[in-house]
């Protein structure tokens, strides 16, 4: 089995920064694509940023220029650096990963709350 554990969420003022991390552990041979999603109250879950095994990235238009996704393959970890945070960024942020191991599958983390408020 594979587990994804997020960390780094919290309360931050508008204009501030947070860095989220997600560590994949368990029966892992290779972690392929990884991504960050978010779900705000009353809204559907949306892709914030994704990164392939080769390091290619993509971002939602709403976060381009403010957020940066990166990964450390040796640590099976993906990061989301969030700068210039806005109240509209308030949401539960979820890590997602495609993992090749003893089983093949797509996995979700439990989510971490990000609240942007003064």
């Amino acid at each position: 089995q594979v587990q994804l554990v997020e960390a780094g969420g919290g309360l931050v003022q508008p204009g501030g920064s947070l860095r989220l991390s997600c560590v994949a552990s368990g029966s892992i041979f290779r972690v392929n694509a990884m991504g960050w999603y978010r779900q705000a109250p009353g809204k559907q879950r949306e892709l914030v940023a994704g990164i392939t095994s080769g390091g290619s990235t993509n971002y939602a238009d709403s976060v381009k220029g403010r957020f940066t996704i990166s990964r450390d393959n040796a640590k099976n970890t993906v990061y989301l650096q969030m700068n210039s945070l806005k109240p509209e960024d308030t949401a539960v942020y979820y890590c997602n990963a495609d993992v090749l191991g003893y089983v093949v599958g797509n996995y979700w983390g439990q989510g971490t709350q990000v609240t942007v408020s003064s």
Side-chain angles (χ1 to χ4, degrees):
Q1 187 59 265
V2 173
Q3 301 84 40
L4 303 181
V5 179
E6 301 106 331
L11 175 64
V12 65
Q13 293 185 340
S17 298
L18 285 173
R19 187 193 189 212
L20 306 183
S21 64
C22 171
V23 181
S25 63
S27 301
I28 299 171
F29 176 73
R30 185 178 68 221
V31 180
N32 294 323
M34 306 183 79
W36 288 97
Y37 293 72
R38 68 185 181 188
Q39 187 165 19
K43 305 293 183 180
Q44 64 181 6
R45 189 173 299 185
E46 64 173 343
L47 176 66
V48 176
I51 185 166
T52 69
S53 60
S56 180
T57 60
N58 63 282
Y59 299 90
D61 288 341
S62 60
V63 307
K64 285 181 179 177
R66 300 188 298 120
F67 291 9
T68 302
I69 188 171
S70 61
R71 64 191 292 167
D72 185 335
N73 292 332
K75 298 180 179 179
N76 290 327
T77 300
V78 63
Y79 304 93
L80 186 67
Q81 178 66 47
M82 305 186 295
N83 298 325
S84 301
L85 283 161
K86 305 174 180 179
E88 306 94 276
D89 296 318
T90 296
V92 177
Y93 284 71
Y94 297 91
C95 177
N96 179 268
D98 294 322
V99 178
L100 173 63
Y102 291 107
V103 297
V104 180
N106 180 264
Y107 298 88
W108 289 94
Q110 292 288 102
T112 184
Q113 176 71 48
V114 172
T115 302
V116 185
S117 176
S118 60

